[in-house]
């Protein structure tokens, strides 16, 4: 009984951390307008760190759920998209990774529509790490002139910000392209799978609201069905 209470508390904490990332991402533009890029750099660093924290806690305490997984994916995409938009205001070249990130989202949506599993692949997770690191570094670079620090290494980064931002963009773009190729293969497999194509969800009985809420917050249900299609979880 005590163990169940601890797991329930940890599940709530993990989901709160994930929702903080989502809400924080939505407020980034307001912070940028009111306080500037240096505050955005600091807060975005904290928000990106929450992605590692909630995932670590969910795995350690075995409190992963479909709700947490969905919110984690949503908060990541929102944070990435808004971060790129803010960076584009300073460097137009950042529109390239933004377009590619939205392409990844579209391919995942198509895979979902055909009844496929849209969990991140190993390549997708590596891409996310690369994206997070270089987006944070980009924000930090843009905030350096505001600090007005007279240190040679800092001056070097300030004078060469454009070159570094360009390099970061190229690395992110390469990671995005590799991920798109990987996810496109996954999508084609799902689309050409007769078992997926002939699934007629409209002819199946939808779960009751109570059953649906139970399943998306139940850790045991998630463990048993995490490799199944998210779409499938809506039906009995």
């Amino acid at each position: 009984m005590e163990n169940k209470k601890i797991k329930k508390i940890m599940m709530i904490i993990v989901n709160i951390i994930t929702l903080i990332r989502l809400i924080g991402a939505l407020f980034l533009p307001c912070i940028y307008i009111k306080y500037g890029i240096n505050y955005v750099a600091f807060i975005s660093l904290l928000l990106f760190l929450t992605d590692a924290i909630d995932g670590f806690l969910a795995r350690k305490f075995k409190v992963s759920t479909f709700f947490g997984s969905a919110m984690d994916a949503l908060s990541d995409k929102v944070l990435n998209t808004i971060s790129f938009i803010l960076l584009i205001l300073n460097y137009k070249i950042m529109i390239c990774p933004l377009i590619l990130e939205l392409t990844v989202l579209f391919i995942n949506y198509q895979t979902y529509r055909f009844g496929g599993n849209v969990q991140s692949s190993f390549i997708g997770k590596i891409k996310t790490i690369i994206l997070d690191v270089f987006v944070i570094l980009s924000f930090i670079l843009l905030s350096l002139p505001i600090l007005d620090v007279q240190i040679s290494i800092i001056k070097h980064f300030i004078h060469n910000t454009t070159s570094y931002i360009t390099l970061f963009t190229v690395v992110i773009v390469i990671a995005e392209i590799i991920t798109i190729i990987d996810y496109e293969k996954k999508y084609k497999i799902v689309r050409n799978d007769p078992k997926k194509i002939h699934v007629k969800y409209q002819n199946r009985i939808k779960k009751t609201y109570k059953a649906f809420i139970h399943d998306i917050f139940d850790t045991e249900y998630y463990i048993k069905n995490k490799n199944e299609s998210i779409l499938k979880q809506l039906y009995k």
Side-chain angles (χ1 to χ4, degrees):
M1 182 64 71
E2 191 67 28
N3 187 45
K4 287 185 177 180
K5 287 183 178 180
I6 294 174
K7 287 190 68 173
K8 189 172 183 179
I9 292 172
M10 290 309 304
M11 183 193 303
I12 293 172
I13 292 174
V14 167
N15 287 329
I16 287 175
I17 293 173
T18 303
L19 291 174
I20 286 174
R21 182 162 70 258
L22 176 59
I23 296 170
L26 294 173
F27 274 96
L28 275 182
C30 299
I31 295 170
Y32 178 80
I33 293 171
K34 188 170 180 64
Y35 299 105
I37 195 69
N38 54 328
Y39 280 86
V40 170
F42 175 72
I43 293 173
S44 64
L45 173 60
L46 297 180
L47 293 177
F48 278 113
L49 284 176
T50 63
D51 189 22
I53 294 171
D54 61 7
F56 170 78
L57 292 177
R59 290 187 296 271
K60 181 176 179 58
F61 292 95
K62 298 179 180 178
V63 291
S64 299
T65 62
F66 272 107
F67 175 82
S69 178
M71 286 299 101
D72 182 65
L74 175 62
S75 60
D76 286 349
K77 293 303 178 186
V78 171
L79 179 56
N80 292 339
T81 300
I82 292 177
S83 295
F84 281 133
I85 291 173
L86 294 179
L87 288 172
I88 288 169
L89 296 176
N90 295 274
Y91 284 90
K92 304 300 181 185
I93 192 174
M94 278 291 179
I95 196 171
C96 297
L98 172 60
I99 292 172
L100 293 174
E101 183 68 7
L102 293 176
T103 301
V104 170
L105 180 61
F106 177 74
I107 293 173
N108 279 339
Y109 171 70
Q110 291 294 89
T111 304
Y112 160 81
R113 282 182 62 244
F114 279 86
N117 185 290
V118 293
Q119 285 186 332
S120 294
S121 64
F122 175 76
I123 291 177
K125 291 177 180 178
I126 295 298
K127 183 269 300 180
T128 298
I129 294 173
I130 292 173
L131 187 153
D132 291 355
V133 169
F134 286 109
V135 164
I136 292 171
L137 288 176
S138 297
F139 279 131
I140 292 174
L141 275 178
L142 292 175
S143 67
L144 287 180
I146 302 172
L147 300 177
D148 193 28
V149 178
Q150 301 301 316
I151 302 176
S152 57
I153 186 68
I154 300 297
K155 288 182 177 180
H156 166 78
F157 285 125
I158 293 174
H159 293 151
N160 294 279
T161 295
T162 301
S163 299
Y164 282 109
I165 294 291
T166 302
L167 175 63
F168 296 165
T169 304
V170 170
V171 174
I172 295 173
V173 165
I174 292 173
E176 292 278 8
I177 291 174
I178 294 173
T179 302
I180 287 173
I181 294 172
D182 180 53
Y183 283 8
E184 182 67 19
K185 290 179 181 178
K186 182 179 178 181
Y187 164 65
K188 288 180 179 179
I189 292 173
V190 170
R191 183 167 184 173
N192 295 321
D193 186 348
K195 294 180 181 179
K196 295 289 191 305
I197 294 173
H198 297 295
V199 172
K200 302 294 183 182
Y201 288 103
Q202 62 269 29
N203 296 328
R204 298 179 62 179
I205 301 174
K206 285 189 176 182
K207 292 178 180 177
T208 62
Y209 176 76
K210 185 177 181 180
F212 173 71
I213 293 298
H214 171 272
D215 290 345
I216 66 172
F217 284 101
D218 186 68
T219 56
E220 292 182 5
Y221 179 84
Y222 175 79
I223 293 172
K224 292 178 181 177
N225 298 276
K226 64 180 180 179
N227 294 321
E228 297 288 343
S229 164
I230 292 179
L231 192 61
K232 185 178 178 182
Q233 310 314 316
L234 300 173
Y235 302 85
K236 293 182 180 179

